[in-house]
Amino acid sequence: MSQQQPTRSLGFFAALSTVTGTVIGSGIFFKVPAVTKATGSVSLATFTWFLAGIITICAGLTAAELAAAYPQTGGLTLYIGKAYGSFWGFLAGWAQSLIYFPAQWAAAAIAFATQFVDLFGLDDSWLPLVGICVTLLVLLTNFISAQAGGLVSSIALVVKLIPVVAIVVLGFFHPGDPQFRLFPVAPGPSQHLLTALGSGLLATMFAYDGWIHVGTMAGEMKNPKKHLPRAIFLGLGLVTVVYLLINLAFLYVAPLGTVAADLNISSRVAHIVFGPLGGKIITIGIMISVYGALNGFTMTGIRVPYVMGYLGYLPFARAFRALNRGGVPWVGGCLQFIVAVLMILSGTFDTITNMLVVVIWFFYMLCFAAVFILRRREPDLPRPYKVPGFPLVPIIAMLGGVFIILTTLFTQPAITLIGVLITLAGVPIYRYQQTHHRIRQI
């Protein structure tokens, strides 16, 4: 990757808005039902959102050290490759290209289509077509240029806050559910605490996802050592508070059973609180938020196969490195679109998101451990930012990841197995590229 140093022009507030804008997307509006169903109680559901926020803050603070030390294009693939070698870097890029980003696209598309169908009173049979069409529209927009995709993200960042603020502020003025209780913290009837907590954390981690990209701004900040940890802590802390309030608003307005059973609970609550017309306006705001999330993951996702092509990880590497007239890598985007369409046609929202979380969190844990490895191996490497509270903060992030993966392995083994098999399917390709001496050393 190019070693040209970026201009250091970002201050604290720019970094803070980037943190919150990157993380807040579709998950908070569509994962509350899954968390509520998994935990079976208002108290444990609320605690799960809080605990997930703590783990996410620790994860963001940890990964940002690697992003600051290696500000080049490459992200997770680069960090893991530096610490463990090109094979593990390849697997990280492969999993992101064929599981993580296509699943993010598919999940956002399903969420958007769910709102669209509800808004216009269409039959559920329209869901796949609407999901595929919105994914294609976002992809074609990003193929125009990086600026076009960036403009969509900027608009969505402003609009996405409207339904969040409206539901949180006005939701608690509505008559509440009489069963609403925050204490004691316990699972629902006939549910085991650790199993319920693990399944709930798996669901919340999709809503909190996006923090891995936060540290990439370190090379463009005026004072990353001072401002980056504050931006991550305050930004992700703000996201945690917002998520807690949204969760509480949903559970306050609607009965527990209704929230747990309805993927479209955000629209239902909006209709209850604001009436038919107001509910439709809030639904449109939620759709724009989801559209912005899909756009953001599309902007990031299509560049991972480009990096893998540059490093020689993929056959036809020249094609994956190719840029269109707008300077955008398009071949990898087309491949990811095909995978996303297959996911839209074959999976449900929760199945797709759970698979992407369990796969990506394995590589996140490698990323956390890489901080320890690279501090020992490269002590003189310039680090504009170091993890505060080291080694406790990275250890908390790693323990959270271990708990999520282990509980998923025991409670949802099929999802874990599918993710592992798709990841390992890339091994023969890596070996072929390695045998023919096509891989560049990171």
Side-chain angles (χ1 to χ4, degrees):
M1 303 292 95
S2 172
Q3 299 300 311
Q4 183 180 359
Q5 294 299 311
T7 303
R8 295 188 178 275
S9 58
L10 295 180
F12 170 74
F13 288 105
L16 181 66
S17 62
T18 302
V19 172
T20 55
T22 300
V23 178
I24 296 177
S26 61
I28 184 54
F29 298 113
F30 298 95
K31 272 301 182 180
V32 171
V35 177
T36 305
K37 183 178 181 180
T39 56
S41 72
V42 174
S43 61
L44 186 57
T46 304
F47 177 76
T48 302
W49 283 103
F50 172 76
L51 180 60
I54 298 299
I55 295 172
T56 301
I57 290 171
C58 292
L61 290 171
T62 302
E65 177 170 320
L66 299 178
Y70 303 105
Q72 308 96 317
T73 302
L76 194 63
T77 301
L78 176 65
Y79 312 150
I80 292 178
K82 287 283 188 182
Y84 306 99
S86 59
F87 173 72
W88 289 101
F90 164 83
L91 281 185
W94 176 267
Q96 287 183 93
S97 297
L98 288 185
I99 300 176
Y100 177 73
F101 281 111
Q104 287 281 10
W105 297 8
I110 292 172
F112 181 93
T114 301
Q115 295 287 295
F116 185 92
V117 166
D118 180 74
L119 181 65
F120 292 100
L122 302 176
D123 187 83
D124 283 351
S125 60
W126 284 87
L127 284 171
L129 178 60
V130 174
I132 292 170
C133 287
V134 72
T135 305
L136 180 60
L137 177 60
V138 170
L139 182 63
L140 293 177
T141 302
N142 278 273
F143 279 173
I144 296 173
S145 68
Q147 288 78 13
L151 178 61
V152 173
S153 291
S154 298
I155 295 172
L157 174 59
V158 176
V159 176
K160 74 170 60 177
L161 297 177
I162 295 174
V164 170
V165 173
I167 292 174
V168 167
V169 172
L170 299 179
F172 291 105
F173 287 97
H174 191 274
D177 177 32
Q179 302 300 316
F180 184 87
R181 297 287 187 277
L182 290 179
F183 298 101
V185 176
S190 70
Q191 288 180 289
H192 188 273
L193 176 61
L194 291 181
T195 302
L197 181 60
S199 298
L201 279 176
L202 178 67
T204 59
M205 285 305 170
F206 171 74
Y208 280 105
D209 198 53
W211 53 263
I212 189 67
H213 310 299
V214 167
T216 57
M217 75 181 83
E220 300 172 70
M221 294 185 66
K222 298 175 183 177
N223 190 346
K225 185 175 182 179
K226 177 181 178 181
H227 291 156
L228 186 58
R230 290 184 182 180
I232 292 174
F233 182 80
L234 292 177
L236 293 179
L238 177 62
V239 170
T240 301
V241 171
V242 169
Y243 282 9
L244 282 170
L245 291 174
I246 283 282
N247 172 75
L248 290 172
F250 284 179
L251 291 169
Y252 182 77
V253 171
L256 181 73
T258 301
V259 174
D262 191 354
L263 176 63
N264 208 20
I265 190 62
S266 54
S267 288
R268 302 287 177 265
V269 170
H271 279 263
I272 293 172
V273 174
F274 302 103
L277 179 59
K280 288 183 181 296
I281 294 174
I282 295 299
T283 297
I284 293 172
I286 293 173
M287 289 172 61
I288 295 174
S289 175
V290 175
Y291 191 93
L294 174 57
N295 182 78
F297 281 110
T298 300
M299 285 184 67
T300 310
I302 61 178
R303 286 161 173 81
V304 176
Y306 168 80
V307 172
M308 295 186 70
Y310 179 89
L311 294 172
Y313 285 160
L314 298 174
F316 312 107
R318 182 176 297 178
F320 285 101
R321 294 198 304 265
L323 305 177
N324 64 14
R325 292 183 178 180
V328 178
W330 63 278
V331 175
C334 292
L335 175 62
Q336 290 172 317
F337 173 73
I338 294 172
V339 177
V341 168
L342 294 175
M343 289 182 174
I344 291 171
L345 294 173
S346 61
T348 64
F349 180 83
D350 286 324
T351 301
I352 291 170
T353 54
N354 287 348
M355 181 176 67
L356 79 85
V357 168
V358 73
V359 169
I360 203 64
W361 264 86
F362 171 77
F363 291 103
Y364 286 167
M365 288 195 297
L366 291 181
C367 180
F368 304 149
V371 173
F372 294 86
I373 294 171
L374 292 171
R375 279 199 182 190
R376 184 181 302 111
R377 184 189 302 165
E378 301 182 38
D380 298 326
L381 177 72
R383 290 176 171 85
Y385 157 84
K386 288 186 177 182
V387 187
F390 183 89
L392 179 61
V393 168
I395 289 174
I396 292 173
M398 292 177 69
L399 289 176
V402 169
F403 182 71
I404 292 167
I405 291 177
L406 288 180
T407 53
T408 308
L409 180 63
F410 287 108
T411 60
Q412 303 182 53
I415 290 176
T416 308
L417 180 61
I418 292 172
V420 170
L421 290 177
I422 296 175
T423 302
L424 294 180
V427 174
I429 294 177
Y430 176 84
R431 295 304 181 196
Y432 176 84
Q433 295 295 100
Q434 184 184 48
T435 301
H436 290 78
H437 306 288
R438 297 175 177 173
I439 294 178
R440 298 186 184 187
Q441 293 301 313
I442 296 179

